[in-house]
Amino acid sequence: GIKDFPAFESTTRTYTRANMQRSESTVTGVGTFARFLGGASADARIERLDRKLLWTLDAKTKRFSECPLKGCPAPLPRKLPEKKSAEEDKARDAQCRLTIGNTTFSVEPTGQKRSINGFDTEQYDVKWLVTFRDNASRKSISAISMDLWTTPITPAMKDAMALEKSYARAHDKILGVATEPDGLVVLPPEVGRMISGHLSANVSPSERAVFLAGVKKLDKVKGRPILMNVTWRFTGEACS
């Protein structure tokens, strides 16, 4: 769960070959979130490196789109955006901004074990605290808690991970971008987008990138993540 956001659950399955990949994602929620979605949301993304194409599929509407691998071009706006006045620009520049201060991690194995989707897993309790300060030196705390379950990496899993890494390198080479370094613990994309959107009013894009990158690798976590429950709270007086 994320403070001020309804709780939801997401599941992603990825199938990878040397030159193609299919990712299937479902998002379900309860209460307000379920009513907003009108039920579970399901979509898929298919990439073909040999054809430099991607397809997105919406299971609910039974529609798909085909685009270059680099992504679909943005639609042209129906009208040009109105120019902002100098007063508006000045107010925007003077708005309250947040910068990252201290960051602390706590990763502790709980000793709990359970079987999840056929995998023997062990539990980690992860606490990630980040201090933010605004222009007036007021402070707020971002607290992310993760209930994380991982499974030991087997030889078969190593082969699958090697294939995924090889695919990622080939994919990023086509797009002309750098491949991200290895990392075991990554926030689910839906969580990352929600947190980034919540912070966007007061935190610069570069600071948000630094913030979200902080969770990409936690050295004390061993094995491959199978299940992750994330709770995020942002409290304090900064930019209030």
Side-chain angles (χ1 to χ4, degrees):
I2 299 178
K3 187 177 183 295
D4 297 328
F5 290 96
F8 67 93
E9 177 180 312
S10 66
T11 302
T12 301
R13 292 182 176 88
T14 303
Y15 307 86
T16 305
R17 294 183 180 178
N19 62 357
M20 64 185 71
Q21 187 176 77
R22 177 187 178 105
S23 296
E24 300 174 351
S25 301
T26 59
V27 180
T28 57
V30 295
T32 303
F33 195 82
R35 291 193 295 272
F36 173 76
L37 286 177
S41 171
D43 56 56
R45 177 186 176 96
I46 300 172
E47 297 178 346
R48 287 284 300 265
L49 302 187
D50 54 339
R51 299 177 62 183
K52 297 183 180 179
L53 291 174
L54 70 85
W55 296 264
T56 56
L57 296 79
D58 188 323
K60 186 175 182 179
T61 62
K62 297 183 179 180
R63 303 183 67 177
F64 77 93
S65 61
E66 178 183 286
C67 299
L69 189 62
K70 293 185 177 181
C72 294
L76 294 175
R78 294 185 179 180
K79 62 178 182 179
L80 295 175
E82 297 179 359
K83 291 184 177 180
K84 294 184 178 180
S85 66
E87 289 78 11
E88 289 176 316
D89 289 338
K90 184 177 180 180
R92 181 192 61 193
D93 293 337
Q95 69 180 326
C96 186
R97 307 299 292 177
L98 294 174
T99 56
I100 295 175
N102 297 330
T103 299
T104 60
F105 286 104
S106 172
V107 182
E108 298 294 337
T110 67
Q112 297 296 313
K113 301 180 184 294
R114 59 184 282 203
S115 177
I116 301 175
N117 295 334
F119 294 98
D120 294 327
T121 67
E122 60 179 314
Q123 185 186 39
Y124 286 87
D125 181 28
V126 180
K127 307 293 186 190
W128 178 31
L129 301 179
V130 179
T131 301
F132 287 86
R133 294 187 183 276
D134 65 11
N135 315 53
S137 297
R138 292 170 297 190
K139 183 173 69 173
S140 286
I141 301 293
S142 165
I144 291 181
S145 300
M146 284 185 280
D147 174 21
L148 178 64
W149 297 82
T150 69
T151 190
I153 298 176
T154 64
M157 195 176 292
K158 284 184 179 179
D159 291 341
M161 292 166 63
L163 178 60
E164 288 183 339
K165 291 176 186 177
S166 176
Y167 179 87
R169 287 193 293 268
H171 173 276
D172 292 345
K173 184 177 180 180
I174 293 174
L175 268 57
V177 298
T179 302
E180 290 190 358
D182 295 342
L184 290 179
V185 181
V186 181
L187 282 175
E190 297 84 3
V191 175
R193 285 193 293 267
M194 281 192 170
I195 292 177
S196 183
H198 188 76
L199 296 176
S200 61
N202 303 107
V203 182
S204 69
S206 59
E207 287 277 292
R208 292 201 304 274
V210 170
F211 172 73
L212 292 173
V215 79
K216 286 189 175 180
K217 187 173 182 180
L218 298 175
D219 293 336
K220 292 184 180 180
V221 174
K222 299 184 183 301
R224 185 74 172 177
I226 299 298
L227 176 65
M228 182 189 302
N229 296 314
V230 182
T231 301
W232 180 54
R233 291 182 173 84
F234 193 86
T235 58
E237 301 298 325
C239 291
S240 59

